[in-house]
Amino acid sequence: MLRHVEALALRGIALACLAVVGSTAGIVRAEAQTTVTILQSEPPRSMDPADQTATFTGDVLEPMYEGLVARGEDLKVHPSLATEWSVSEDGLTWTFHLREGVKFHDGSDFDAEAAKASFERLMDESLGLAGAGRLRPLLQSVEASDPHTLTIVLTRNYPAFLDLLTSAQASIVSPAEAEKGDLGRVPVGTGPFKFVEWSSGNYVLEEANPDYWGDKAKVEQLKWTWSAEQSVMNMALQTGDADIVNPLPPVFAQGVENNPDMDLIAQSGSAVFWIALNVQIEPLDDVKVRQALNYATDRDALVQALLRGYGTPADSPLAPIPPYHLDEAQPYPYDVDKAKALLEEAGVADGFSMSVAVQEPEANIAEALQGMWAKIGVKLEIRTLESGVWTKAAFNDPDAKKADNLGSVIASWSSGGFNPDQQLRPLYDTDSWAPAGANLGFFSNEEFDQLLDTAASTADPAKRKELYDQAQRIVNTEAPMVLLYVKQDLVGVKKGIEGIWVVPGGDVRAAYVDKSS
């Protein structure tokens, strides 16, 4: 079970923990430090940015790491470790001019060779990095032309390459720490905060980097904590144990909005919640069965009951963000009779049993579906799993899932709404079958795969839109998933906390948070 942070009872324990990573002077200073505490709904999965794909893990890592480019609060791509760049006429060769005078937190120099080493990690399949699949298929070669020039050659034209480089997986890591094999536990980047401690059951502590090349952090510490308990998340904000809560459970959103001592960040989200159906096992290998489950799902009721109205029913594998979302009618309106008819056509008129793996924060989704699907004779076995166990089960290969008789997985995914390729390819492309990617139900459609490849290399926006529309229709029709909803991004913030912003999809950016009291 996920656990929330409990304050360390003894000052001696706190000093002992800090002594592991800092000097005596640092320990004394720590008692007077300004700390912003951020409570999330799940723990980080790794301190290695390339070995994870989770939104809330990326949030923890973001203050400590940087990429060649970064997404700004205006949601545009800006220089970061690269100061400028150019691309060849054929779209294959990207040349980046790197920032000089930057050091990693371990004191080693950032240069083109260091950047090259980070991308070579992504290209090395033998490392088994969970997030590397986002970039590996695109990377043909990486060269350090000189100490401050990096040249990346792509396997194909990919106009959205800069968007992809803003992802956590493209962060530049210390080659020395990577060589040690410790990045999973000890993050070493170039960011405005550096790592202090990861108490794996409780918190991650980061401190301001005094040698940072850019604008210095405005607070001295960031403390990341977590709890799967919605009441704990709300109470922590009420009592001041947390300065920021993400995501704020919708049930408490109205109360926070009405509280003069708190602020509610509420914005259109891009995280699509869905159920990945294992299309390799019976009877889910029948498209009519999968369509029946979609018709038997009352999305409007889910939005009202579980999100308190802070969301929209999902009608496409892409979030309802222009310009690439498929603007057509809901493909599966709630229709129990239609669902029953499809099950009868599929030869399972009496229903069937199936299992679903779900993390504790989303267990209420499974419980709601259990009641809805019972109306068409589907018995849903709910497996509520701790985060690490869920990850292992969700990303098992086809044989392991078949042996486990795991029929489905409840999950969410967001590419931030900026690059539809990174919403569709990881979840539905044949080459993204788990464990290599996040195609958790092992869907495969050759036409769909070809559409993705063509769209990703098409520069004309209108043509790209047409191709992505076709791809979305295929997924909707083949139904390798049950669409659920798109949540609004809800973040609870104490008064006096400034400088926090949220990328669509729920990514909190806290590197320049300020605390007035």
Side-chain angles (χ1 to χ4, degrees):
M1 306 291 284
L2 302 180
R3 292 176 292 172
H4 68 285
V5 167
E6 296 178 357
L8 293 175
L10 300 176
R11 178 174 176 272
I13 295 176
L15 294 181
C17 291
L18 287 168
V20 174
V21 293
S23 66
T24 303
I27 295 171
V28 173
R29 186 176 64 251
E31 292 184 5
Q33 285 180 333
T34 303
T35 301
V36 169
T37 300
I38 304 162
L39 176 62
Q40 302 192 127
S41 60
E42 66 180 41
R45 299 178 184 178
S46 173
M47 293 291 106
D48 184 342
D51 200 24
Q52 59 80 39
T53 59
T55 294
F56 300 128
T57 301
D59 291 350
V60 173
L61 300 182
E62 192 269 342
M64 299 185 287
Y65 284 106
E66 295 173 297
L68 299 179
V69 296
R71 192 170 301 283
E73 193 169 355
D74 60 1
L75 303 184
K76 296 179 181 179
V77 175
H78 295 271
S80 185
L81 292 178
T83 57
E84 57 183 354
W85 51 85
S86 60
V87 60
S88 62
E89 190 173 340
D90 62 7
L92 296 179
T93 302
W94 291 75
T95 303
F96 296 89
H97 300 284
L98 306 185
R99 194 174 300 279
E100 299 183 29
V102 177
K103 288 187 177 293
F104 289 101
H105 300 154
D106 59 10
S108 60
D109 292 327
F110 163 76
D111 56 18
E113 287 292 341
K116 176 185 176 183
S118 273
F119 284 100
E120 286 179 335
R121 292 181 76 236
L122 298 172
M123 298 169 69
D124 187 350
E125 292 189 48
S126 68
L127 295 177
L129 299 172
R134 288 189 174 190
L135 287 123
R136 184 186 301 124
L138 285 173
L139 300 175
Q140 178 71 38
S141 65
V142 184
E143 296 297 334
S145 307
D146 62 53
H148 303 293
T149 305
L150 186 74
T151 302
I152 300 177
V153 179
L154 304 185
T155 56
R156 64 180 187 275
N157 181 17
Y158 194 82
F161 186 53
L162 287 180
D163 286 306
L164 193 55
L165 290 182
T166 67
S167 68
Q169 293 74 27
S171 298
I172 306 300
V173 304
S174 163
E177 198 62 40
E179 282 288 326
K180 294 179 185 177
D182 290 341
L183 277 175
R185 290 289 307 177
V186 182
V188 180
T190 61
F193 282 85
K194 59 183 181 179
F195 177 69
V196 176
E197 181 187 9
W198 181 11
S199 176
S200 59
N202 297 309
Y203 61 85
V204 171
L205 192 65
E206 304 166 6
E207 67 180 9
N209 175 15
D211 301 317
Y212 182 57
W213 61 265
D215 293 336
K216 302 297 190 290
K218 296 180 179 180
V219 298
E220 293 163 297
Q221 287 187 335
L222 295 177
K223 186 175 185 180
W224 301 85
T225 68
W226 46 88
S227 173
E229 300 287 344
Q230 292 192 0
S231 59
V232 170
M233 298 185 78
N234 178 59
M235 186 58 66
L237 192 62
Q238 301 284 343
T239 61
D241 289 337
D243 299 296
I244 299 165
V245 169
N246 180 44
L248 183 73
V251 65
F252 301 116
Q254 191 66 54
V256 169
E257 194 168 13
N258 294 335
N259 191 322
D261 296 324
M262 301 176 191
D263 289 319
L264 176 69
I265 297 175
Q267 65 181 37
S268 297
S270 66
V272 178
F273 282 70
W274 87 105
I275 305 174
L277 301 176
N278 188 347
V279 302
Q280 301 298 316
I281 64 173
E282 296 180 349
L284 298 174
D285 58 346
D286 190 324
V287 65
K288 292 180 179 179
V289 171
R290 303 195 298 268
Q291 291 174 342
L293 292 175
N294 273 279
Y295 278 116
T297 302
D298 189 344
R299 294 165 186 79
D300 289 312
L302 292 176
V303 168
Q304 293 305 315
L306 304 184
L307 304 184
R308 297 302 195 272
Y310 290 98
T312 56
D315 58 7
S316 160
L318 294 183
I321 297 175
Y324 294 111
H325 173 257
L326 181 63
D327 295 319
E328 295 180 354
Q330 169 65 253
Y332 295 103
Y334 183 51
D335 190 334
V336 172
D337 290 337
K338 177 70 172 177
K340 289 180 177 179
L342 284 168
L343 290 184
E344 185 173 358
E345 291 176 24
V348 285
D350 294 331
F352 59 94
S353 297
M354 61 178 286
S355 60
V356 61
V358 60
Q359 297 183 84
E360 188 173 349
E362 284 83 45
N364 56 355
I365 300 175
E367 292 163 1
L369 293 173
Q370 191 177 52
M372 291 178 186
W373 292 357
K375 296 176 182 178
I376 61 170
V378 174
K379 301 175 182 65
L380 186 63
E381 173 206 340
I382 301 173
R383 303 181 188 177
T384 304
L385 306 175
E386 180 271 334
S387 178
V389 180
W390 176 90
T391 299
K392 186 176 186 300
F395 284 85
N396 265 335
D397 61 32
D399 290 339
K401 279 188 177 171
K402 186 174 183 178
D404 191 30
N405 196 30
L406 183 57
S408 61
V409 175
I410 293 179
S412 63
W413 187 275
S414 171
S415 62
F418 307 106
N419 184 355
D421 185 67
Q422 289 303 302
Q423 186 79 19
L424 296 172
R425 188 178 299 274
L427 306 186
Y428 303 107
D429 186 76
T430 302
D431 289 339
S432 296
W433 279 21
N439 186 341
L440 306 181
F442 316 113
F443 173 66
S444 179
N445 182 287
E446 184 176 353
E447 181 185 0
F448 174 85
D449 295 346
Q450 291 175 349
L451 283 168
L452 283 193
D453 289 342
T454 304
S457 60
T458 299
D460 180 76
K463 291 181 180 178
R464 280 166 60 89
K465 165 69 172 168
E466 181 181 343
L467 293 166
Y468 283 126
D469 280 356
Q470 292 179 49
Q472 289 171 83
R473 291 189 188 102
I474 289 173
V475 175
N476 280 351
T477 301
E478 292 297 314
M481 75 303 176
V482 175
L483 293 170
L484 299 175
Y485 49 68
V486 181
K487 292 175 62 174
Q488 282 191 22
D489 297 329
L490 300 175
V491 181
V493 183
K494 282 179 56 181
K495 287 288 187 186
I497 299 295
E498 305 289 343
I500 180 178
W501 59 282
V502 184
V503 182
D507 298 83
V508 161
R509 294 292 178 256
Y512 289 99
V513 66
D514 200 0
K515 187 174 186 178
S516 62
S517 60

